[in-house]
Coordinates of all heavy atoms in Angstrom, one line a residue:
T278 N -5.3 5.3 13.2 CA -5.4 6.0 14.4 C -5.5 7.5 14.0 O -5.4 8.3 14.8 CB -4.2 5.9 15.3 OG1 -3.0 6.0 14.4 CG2 -4.3 4.4 15.9
G279 N -5.3 7.7 12.7 CA -4.8 9.2 12.3 C -5.9 10.1 12.7 O -7.0 9.9 13.3
F280 N -5.7 11.3 12.2 CA -6.6 12.6 12.4 C -7.6 12.5 11.2 O -7.3 12.1 10.1 CB -5.7 13.7 12.4 CG -4.5 13.5 11.5 CD1 -4.6 14.0 10.1 CD2 -3.3 13.0 12.0 CE1 -3.5 13.8 9.4 CE2 -2.2 12.8 11.1 CZ -2.4 13.2 9.8
T281 N -8.7 13.1 11.5 CA -9.8 13.2 10.5 C -10.0 14.7 9.9 O -10.0 15.6 10.9 CB -11.0 12.6 11.0 OG1 -10.8 11.4 11.5 CG2 -12.1 12.6 9.9
V282 N -9.8 15.0 8.7 CA -10.2 16.3 8.2 C -11.6 16.2 7.6 O -11.8 15.3 6.9 CB -9.1 16.6 7.2 CG1 -9.3 17.9 6.7 CG2 -7.7 16.6 7.8
P283 N -12.4 17.0 8.0 CA -13.8 17.1 7.4 C -13.7 17.0 5.8 O -12.8 17.7 5.2 CB -14.4 18.4 7.8 CG -13.5 18.8 9.1 CD -12.2 18.3 8.8
L284 N -14.5 16.1 5.4 CA -14.5 16.0 3.9 C -15.8 16.1 3.3 O -16.7 15.6 3.8 CB -14.0 14.5 3.6 CG -14.0 14.1 2.1 CD1 -12.6 14.4 1.5 CD2 -14.0 12.6 2.1
E285 N -16.0 17.0 2.3 CA -17.4 17.2 2.0 C -17.8 16.3 0.8 O -17.0 16.2 -0.2 CB -17.5 18.7 1.4 CG -17.5 19.7 2.6 CD -18.1 21.0 2.2 OE1 -18.2 21.3 1.0 OE2 -18.2 21.9 3.1
N286 N -18.8 15.5 1.0 CA -19.2 14.8 -0.1 C -20.0 15.5 -1.2 O -20.1 16.8 -1.0 CB -20.0 13.5 0.4 CG -21.3 13.9 0.8 OD1 -21.9 15.0 0.6 ND2 -22.1 12.9 1.5
Q287 N -20.4 14.8 -2.3 CA -21.1 15.6 -3.3 C -22.2 16.4 -2.9 O -22.7 17.3 -3.6 CB -21.3 14.7 -4.6 CG -20.0 14.4 -5.2 CD -20.1 13.5 -6.3 OE1 -21.2 12.7 -6.4 NE2 -19.2 13.6 -7.3
N288 N -22.9 16.0 -1.9 CA -24.0 16.7 -1.4 C -23.8 17.8 -0.4 O -24.7 18.3 0.1 CB -25.1 15.6 -0.9 CG -25.4 14.6 -1.6 OD1 -25.6 14.9 -2.9 ND2 -25.5 13.3 -1.2
G289 N -22.6 18.0 -0.2 CA -22.2 19.0 0.7 C -22.3 18.6 2.1 O -22.2 19.4 3.1
V290 N -22.4 17.1 2.4 CA -22.6 16.9 3.8 C -21.2 16.4 4.2 O -20.5 15.6 3.7 CB -23.5 15.5 3.9 CG1 -23.7 15.1 5.2 CG2 -24.9 16.0 3.2
S291 N -20.8 16.8 5.5 CA -19.6 16.4 6.1 C -19.7 15.0 6.5 O -20.6 14.6 7.1 CB -19.2 17.3 7.2 OG -18.8 18.5 6.8
Q292 N -18.5 14.3 6.1 CA -18.3 12.9 6.6 C -17.1 13.0 7.5 O -16.3 13.7 7.4 CB -18.1 11.9 5.5 CG -19.2 12.0 4.3 CD -18.7 11.3 3.1 OE1 -17.4 11.3 2.9 NE2 -19.6 10.7 2.4
S293 N -16.9 11.9 8.4 CA -15.8 11.7 8.9 C -15.3 10.3 8.7 O -16.2 9.4 8.6 CB -15.7 12.0 10.5 OG -16.8 11.4 11.1
A294 N -14.0 10.2 8.6 CA -13.5 8.7 8.4 C -13.7 7.8 9.5 O -13.5 7.9 10.6 CB -12.0 8.9 8.1
A295 N -14.4 6.6 9.2 CA -14.5 5.5 10.2 C -13.2 4.9 10.6 O -12.3 4.9 9.6 CB -15.5 4.5 9.6
K296 N -13.0 4.7 11.8 CA -11.8 4.0 12.2 C -11.9 2.5 11.9 O -12.5 1.7 12.5 CB -11.6 4.2 13.7 CG -11.1 5.7 14.0 CD -10.7 5.8 15.4 CE -10.3 7.2 15.5 NZ -10.0 7.4 17.0
L297 N -11.2 2.1 10.8 CA -11.2 0.8 10.3 C -10.0 0.0 10.6 O -8.8 0.6 10.2 CB -11.7 0.7 8.8 CG -13.0 0.9 8.6 CD1 -13.2 0.9 7.0 CD2 -14.0 -0.1 9.1
P298 N -9.9 -1.2 11.0 CA -8.7 -1.8 11.2 C -8.4 -2.4 9.8 O -8.4 -3.7 9.5 CB -9.0 -3.0 12.2 CG -10.5 -3.2 12.0 CD -11.1 -1.9 11.5

Side-chain angles (χ1 to χ4, degrees):
T278 55
F280 33 88
T281 306
V282 180
L284 178 82
E285 288 198 349
N286 71 11
Q287 284 178 337
N288 304 320
V290 179
S291 275
Q292 303 168 329
S293 50
K296 285 188 176 172
L297 283 177

